[in-house]
Amino acid sequence: MSNPFEALGLPAELVAVTQELGYEAPTAIQTAAIPPLLAGRDLIGRSKTGSGKTAAFGLPMLAQVDLNKRSLQGLVLCPTRELAGQVMRELRKLGRRHPGLVVAELIGGQPKRRQRELLERGVHLAVGTPGRLLDHLDHGALDPRGLRTVVLDEADRMLDMGFEEEVSSVLKHLPRTRQTALFSATMPERIEVLARQHQHNAVRVEGDEPSASGEAPTPHGAPDLPVGIRQLYVVPERGAELHALCAVLAKFPHESALVFCNFKASVAEVVALLSEAGLSVDRLDGDLDQFERDRVLVRFRNGSLRLLVATDVAGRGLDIEGLDLVVNLELPQDPSAYVHRIGRTGRAGRDGVAVSIARGAHGGTDRRLTDVEELTGQPIEALALDDPRPQGAVLRSLAREPRMATIQIAGGRRDKLRAGDLLGALTGEAGLEGDEVGRIDLRDKVTFVAVARQRAVAAAKALDQGRIKKRRFRATLLGRPAGSRGPAPGYRDPGGGPR
Ligand code: ADP
Ligand code: MG
C-alpha cells in the first residue's frame, strides 16, 4: 500500500477524496486516531489547533456511514456556532464522494422549525451546539436510536463555556452501545472526569509534532500556543486602563486588532469610547443574534472593520487568523481562556503581539499573570508605555478608516449567485478594478462583498440599480460611510447592565 491514508484502513473513496483535497499525508493526530476509531474504540485525542482533528474523526465517521439508512448515525458536538459551521463544511467536503449524504447543522440562533423539518426528512450526520441538540432530543425531533458515533469536539472549550451539564444530558440520550470520541487541544482534569463518566476503555492518542521553530512540544496538559507571538503586559495607574488601551493601540501599528474584555459592560464602554473618537470599531458579545454576529465577523475578516471588542464567550472559536494585535483589557479569570484569546495572533507564519493590561484589583501587578505564565510555561515581558500625549490626542491619532467597506446584497447561494457573478458585476457595470474587490462571502440568502472604501458608495449604488444574472438584488452599504464620525448606524448601545 503506497498511499498513507489507505494504510490507515480508510476505504478507497475516502482515500480518493484526500488526494483531491491535496492532503499528501495524514497528520500525526490522524495517523494515531483513525485506526482505533475505525475499529470502533472510544478515544481521547489531544492535539493543537490546526492539526487536522476534524478529518481525524470525520474520515472514520464517513467510512462507517450507511447511506441507505436515513437515520442519524454520527453526531458532533461543538462549543460555538462558528465551529459547528466549520465542522459541517469539512464533513461535507470530505463526504463529496458519498452521494446523497445529508449533514445537518443544529445550532442555536436559527429557527428550530426548519431544523425539525430537515430532521423529519432524515439526516445521516449532524453537527451542533449542546443547547440546541438537547432541545431537539428532549422534544423527540432528533431520534438517536441508530446512532453509532458521537464526537465531542473542542471538549476543553465546551467545558470552559459552561456546557458540562448540557453535554452530559445529550450523552445520556444516546444509545449505550455507541462509540464516544473526545477531541481537545488541552486536557484539563475536568475532561478526564467527563471521559471517565461517558467513555468505555478509551484509547488515548496525542498528535503533537515539534513546533515550527524546532522547540520541544509543550508538555502534556499545557495548552499549545502558536509560535511567533510576542507576549507583553502593562500595569497602568489606577483608573487609567482605558488610557493604557489607547496607548497600546497606538504603540503597535495594526491593520486589525481584537480587544478582549471580561464583561459585556466593559465591551460597551470601550466601543463607545473608541467609536466616538472616530475609530473603526464594533462589538462582539453574547447579545448579538446570529445574523448580527455573522455580519460583524464578515466585516472584520474582510478588512472593513479594524477593531473588534469581544467577550470570551462571544469571541471563542472564531475563525479568525493572523491578527497583528490582541489586547486584554483585563486578564481572564481562567488562564486557559488567555491561550484561546491570544492564539489568534501570529498565525500563518506572521508574528503577532499580545498585550495584557494587568493591574491588580488592589494595585500592583495582577496575580492572574503568574497563573497564565505557569500554565503556558512562557514568560510575559513587562512593557513600559511612554506615550506622553493625553488620551484624546492618542485617540485622534488612531482614527483611521479601514481599507475596505462591505456591501450587503440581498441574494445568495439559493439564488444561484456565485463569487464570479459578483466580481463580474463589480468590475463590469460598476467599473471597479479587480484589485478593488476583496473577499466575497456567500451565504444562503445574502452575500457580503468587500470593496475598496473610496469606491464603495458608487459600487453599492451600481449594484443596487444594476442586474446580476438578469435579476435585481438590493445592495446596501454596511457600517459607517467614509468620512463620517460617530457610532456606526447599526450600533445599539447595549447599556450598562450589572457586571
Ligand atoms: P483542528 O480541528 O485540529 O484545529 P482542522 O481539522 O480544522 O484542525 O484542520 C485544519 C486545516 O488542515 C483544515 O483546513 C484542513 O482541511 C486541513 N487538513 C486536515 N488534514 C490535512 C492533511 N492530512 N493534509 C493537509 N491538510 C489537512
Ligand atoms: Mg477543530
Side-chain angles (χ1 to χ4, degrees):
M1 267 185 250
S2 57
N3 183 294
F5 283 98
E6 195 182 344
L8 296 178
L10 289 168
E13 77 272 8
L14 286 173
V15 174
V17 171
T18 61
Q19 278 172 343
E20 286 160 9
L21 296 178
Y23 297 178
E24 283 168 16
T27 64
I29 188 73
Q30 291 164 1
T31 303
I34 290 174
L37 286 176
L38 284 173
R41 293 285 304 268
D42 280 4
L43 180 133
I44 303 176
R46 188 187 69 81
S47 168
K48 66 183 157 214
T49 302
S51 58
K53 293 191 285 295
T54 319
F57 61 77
L59 289 167
M61 200 176 248
L62 286 161
Q64 293 171 0
V65 80
D66 180 352
L67 292 171
N68 296 318
K69 282 194 209 143
R70 268 231 166 183
S71 63
L72 182 74
Q73 296 164 53
L75 178 64
V76 185
L77 275 70
C78 297
T80 67
R81 300 161 185 179
E82 272 78 25
L83 285 166
Q86 285 173 43
V87 169
M88 179 198 58
R89 287 192 289 276
E90 187 90 0
L91 288 178
R92 286 187 177 157
K93 212 163 71 178
L94 296 169
R96 59 201 278 173
R97 282 173 176 260
H98 281 57
L101 175 78
V102 184
V103 186
E105 184 185 32
L106 305 174
I107 58 176
Q110 286 184 1
K112 291 180 198 166
R113 197 168 53 90
R114 226 186 302 133
Q115 297 176 357
R116 276 195 223 116
E117 286 164 4
L118 177 64
L119 290 171
E120 252 164 53
R121 273 177 271 146
V123 306
H124 300 107
L125 305 177
V127 183
T129 45
R132 182 55 64 92
L133 287 171
L134 189 58
D135 189 311
H136 286 310
L137 285 163
D138 279 340
H139 291 91
L142 190 61
D143 180 355
R145 281 171 299 180
L147 188 94
R148 291 183 62 140
T149 303
V150 61
V151 176
L152 311 184
D153 193 19
E154 310 252 0
D156 51 352
R157 295 193 199 178
M158 282 204 279
L159 294 185
D160 285 348
M161 292 175 65
F163 281 138
E164 192 157 1
E165 235 174 82
E166 274 112 326
V167 169
S168 291
S169 308
V170 166
L171 292 172
K172 280 179 198 141
H173 275 278
L174 309 179
R176 300 180 123 250
T177 54
R178 63 163 202 264
Q179 174 183 38
T180 308
L182 186 157
F183 283 85
S184 190
T186 67
M187 275 298 154
E189 175 56 27
R190 290 188 302 156
I191 293 206
E192 307 281 348
V193 175
L194 189 75
R196 277 200 294 277
Q197 284 168 346
H198 300 286
Q199 291 187 305
H200 298 285
N201 193 16
V203 193
R204 281 165 189 276
V205 298
E206 308 233 335
D208 288 349
E209 295 143 340
S211 53
S213 61
E215 291 161 356
T218 34
H220 178 77
D224 301 301
L225 274 179
V227 287
I229 303 179
R230 199 173 154 213
Q231 298 179 64
L232 302 163
Y233 74 92
V234 283
V235 182
E237 299 287 313
R238 176 198 290 279
E241 289 82 1
L242 289 176
H243 191 181
L245 168 66
C246 300
V248 168
L249 292 173
K251 188 173 176 79
F252 299 99
H254 52 275
E255 201 50 58
S256 53
L258 196 51
V259 178
F260 276 102
C261 302
N262 290 3
F263 306 100
K264 268 191 295 200
S266 327
V267 170
E269 194 184 351
V270 172
V271 171
L273 174 77
L274 301 182
S275 71
E276 268 158 33
L279 275 69
S280 162
V281 59
D282 217 327
R283 72 190 169 106
L284 187 73
D285 62 39
D287 284 345
L288 301 186
D289 67 29
Q290 178 69 14
F291 186 66
E292 292 168 320
R293 196 179 150 78
D294 192 34
R295 221 160 44 171
V296 168
L297 287 172
V298 162
R299 287 169 53 222
F300 190 58
R301 284 195 201 107
N302 74 15
S304 305
L305 180 64
R306 299 189 51 214
L307 283 167
L308 196 54
V309 186
T311 55
D312 284 306
V313 170
R316 228 169 244 151
L318 294 183
D319 181 15
I320 296 176
E321 295 194 349
L323 288 177
D324 311 308
L325 178 64
V326 170
V327 188
N328 296 313
L329 186 65
E330 202 181 337
L331 283 163
Q333 280 309 342
D334 175 359
S336 72
Y338 174 88
V339 176
H340 292 314
R341 286 181 178 187
I342 76 160
R344 304 214 170 72
T345 59
R347 290 227 182 121
R350 283 164 57 193
D351 282 354
V353 179
V355 185
S356 301
I357 296 172
R359 185 189 158 79
H362 307 288
T365 307
D366 192 332
R367 265 187 259 122
R368 293 175 287 194
L369 198 67
T370 327
D371 300 340
V372 169
E373 288 181 322
E374 268 171 23
L375 182 76
T376 62
Q378 297 182 13
I380 305 179
E381 265 174 79
L383 167 72
L385 288 173
D386 39 21
D387 199 327
R389 296 175 296 174
Q391 180 169 311
V394 177
L395 276 170
R396 275 193 297 282
S397 75
L398 287 168
R400 203 151 56 76
E401 295 286 359
R403 279 178 306 116
M404 309 299 276
T406 301
I407 301 173
Q408 175 178 316
I409 295 148
R413 275 197 214 97
R414 294 226 184 119
D415 305 286
K416 307 252 182 313
L417 287 186
R418 282 181 313 190
D421 302 326
L422 291 151
L423 192 60
L426 284 164
T427 53
E429 295 174 45
L432 268 66
E433 297 296 324
D435 62 4
E436 291 175 323
V437 182
R439 269 182 72 135
I440 298 177
D441 286 278
L442 278 159
R443 302 284 188 264
D444 281 349
K445 293 181 186 166
V446 65
T447 302
F448 303 101
V449 191
V451 296
R453 178 157 289 264
Q454 66 282 14
R455 306 295 303 271
V457 174
K461 197 169 161 204
L463 282 185
D464 193 52
Q465 293 173 354
R467 281 164 196 273
I468 308 172
K469 289 195 145 173
K470 305 209 180 98
R471 277 180 61 191
R472 282 192 73 164
F473 294 97
R474 250 190 72 201
T476 42
L477 200 54
L478 291 185
R480 196 180 9 209
S484 74
R485 285 284 180 266
Y491 178 70
R492 284 188 287 115
D493 188 347
R499 290 171 62 115

